[in-house]
Amino acid sequence: KKYMLLNYTLTRQTYQIFMDYGPEWEKAWKKHVKNWKPPKKGKNKNHPASSTYQSVKEMNQNPQSPIRLSNLRDDMSLPGQTMTVCYYYEDHPHDRFIPSHVKNWKKMHDDQILSHFARPNQFTYAGTRDWGAFFPCNIVANDGDDGTYTVRIFPDKTSDPLPWERAGAPCFLTNVPRVNIQFFNKPYQSRMHWDGAFRHHIGIRDEIFPEQWKNLKKTSLRKDAHETALKGKFRVGDRVSVDYKERGDYYDAVVTKVTVVGKHDVVYDVLYDDTSRERDVLWENVRKPNNETTVYVNLDYIYS
């Protein structure tokens, strides 16, 4: 797949940017708003019904949001759409907190585990990440009436392994304040991934691109068929609107192959914007699209 990245440069001071997604997006959005109904429990067992859903933003803004406790031996977060993350900073070499007998730590009693592997938290999240960061964590105990917790910190796969991670030892922190604990959506568990969520490509008007950028792909047509195929027709790489399976509904697509049939007829292979394909589409079922170009944005790296 090929993707496009657009950088916007402001030429004057402004506080708002208006993005025109194009007429097709606007039409699709109005249709979605008109026909939308609150979803029932989705196919994914972790998707709650809309009546019981609470966003992580709401959960983080409410200091009374319930904290669920995990078993300190659990290596996975609790079931559900959300996970907890804890503010953590490796302030000094952790080696002295790593006993030599770490392989069988899960067989130890709870108090022994905390005695060997826990250390007191020394930092409070103050709205900046200059030093620390939020790591995946499980909340394993309520420390008392002071509103602090004991948590287990899990490795952050995006950074270099820490000493306790390399040793295969767990990392526990005590006296962690509530402000150091936040809720995050698990990958693919936010409302944008629910069944029936609104999805539609964003259009960019063709005139925004220089002419020399367009239609650079060469066709594989025979020279003696060029004039016939291109006279009022399309080439490989052109964006078109296609009558899907001759049902009277036109959808945007890209021409992937052009075949000359006889001396005058042309059929097309096309790739629709939803990634489905259709072969040998008759020329009379293909027409010029609206005056816009579709660009897809790949977000997979966020969840990898």
Side-chain angles (χ1 to χ4, degrees):
K1 295 181 180 180
K2 295 181 179 180
Y3 302 96
M4 178 178 291
L5 176 66
L6 298 179
N7 289 327
Y8 293 91
T9 301
L10 299 180
T11 58
R12 60 185 175 85
Q13 185 175 5
T14 183
Y15 297 97
Q16 292 182 337
I17 298 178
F18 177 74
M19 302 290 292
D20 184 358
Y21 288 173
E24 288 189 4
W25 190 97
E26 187 73 18
K27 181 179 179 181
W29 171 248
K30 290 180 178 179
K31 181 178 179 180
H32 174 78
V33 172
K34 180 180 179 181
N35 299 325
W36 182 85
K37 295 180 180 179
K40 298 179 179 179
K41 191 173 180 62
K43 297 178 181 178
N44 189 314
K45 64 181 180 180
N46 288 331
H47 289 183
S50 61
S51 59
T52 61
Y53 176 82
Q54 188 178 28
S55 70
V56 292
K57 180 179 180 180
E58 295 170 329
M59 296 171 69
N60 288 326
Q61 289 176 342
N62 180 11
Q64 303 302 320
S65 294
I67 297 289
R68 296 189 297 166
L69 301 182
S70 302
N71 187 296
L72 51 77
R73 296 170 182 79
D74 288 344
D75 294 324
M76 301 290 291
S77 58
L78 293 171
Q81 64 168 26
T82 61
M83 57 182 285
T84 48
V85 294
C86 297
Y87 186 71
Y88 175 71
Y89 175 60
E90 189 74 15
D91 58 326
H92 49 69
H94 199 72
D95 297 52
R96 69 171 183 266
F97 294 99
I98 304 176
S100 58
H101 54 289
V102 298
K103 292 184 178 180
N104 298 320
W105 68 269
K106 289 187 177 182
K107 296 182 180 181
M108 301 166 63
H109 294 294
D110 289 4
D111 55 349
Q112 290 179 314
I113 293 176
L114 295 177
S115 174
H116 283 81
F117 299 102
R119 61 187 174 104
N121 172 70
Q122 298 179 352
F123 299 92
T124 299
Y125 178 62
T128 176
R129 298 187 184 184
D130 290 342
W131 299 104
F134 281 98
F135 281 63
C137 68
N138 276 351
I139 318 304
V140 299
N142 189 329
D143 289 345
D145 297 333
D146 60 349
T148 62
Y149 298 86
T150 295
V151 306
R152 180 182 174 189
I153 302 294
F154 292 105
D156 177 8
K157 296 182 179 179
T158 63
S159 59
D160 294 334
L162 296 171
W164 51 268
E165 181 183 357
R166 292 194 297 267
C171 176
F172 292 95
L173 294 181
T174 61
N175 303 322
V176 176
R178 178 62 179 83
V179 70
N180 282 25
I181 302 172
Q182 293 194 11
F183 296 96
F184 274 30
N185 278 119
K186 292 180 181 178
Y188 303 105
Q189 298 301 316
S190 66
R191 280 184 292 187
M192 67 179 294
H193 297 287
W194 282 12
D195 301 326
F198 178 72
R199 296 178 180 86
H200 198 275
H201 62 260
I202 298 174
I204 299 180
R205 299 186 67 84
D206 284 343
E207 56 263 30
I208 200 173
F209 300 104
E211 287 298 324
Q212 57 267 33
W213 288 16
K214 303 176 184 178
N215 300 335
L216 298 181
K217 293 185 177 180
K218 297 180 180 180
T219 66
S220 58
L221 301 177
R222 302 186 307 272
K223 291 183 178 180
D224 58 347
H226 262 199
E227 184 175 354
T228 300
L230 299 180
K231 186 177 182 180
K233 301 302 177 183
F234 307 98
R235 305 176 65 174
V236 172
D238 283 355
R239 288 195 54 76
V240 291
S241 185
V242 183
D243 184 359
Y244 178 68
K245 295 188 181 297
E246 300 184 351
R247 296 176 181 174
D249 296 320
Y250 281 80
Y251 298 94
D252 285 351
V254 175
V255 176
T256 58
K257 183 179 179 181
V258 183
T259 304
V260 176
V261 181
K263 294 183 178 181
H264 304 289
D265 288 333
V266 178
V267 294
Y268 301 93
D269 290 359
V270 298
L271 171 66
Y272 290 99
D273 287 350
D274 64 358
T275 71
S276 61
R277 297 175 180 270
E278 189 173 1
R279 299 180 59 185
D280 299 331
V281 180
L282 296 178
W283 62 269
E284 58 261 41
N285 296 325
V286 181
R287 65 189 185 188
K288 292 183 178 180
N290 292 330
N291 192 28
E292 62 179 11
T293 299
T294 299
V295 176
Y296 289 96
V297 178
N298 181 19
L299 299 179
D300 290 344
Y301 72 93
I302 297 179
Y303 301 106
S304 60

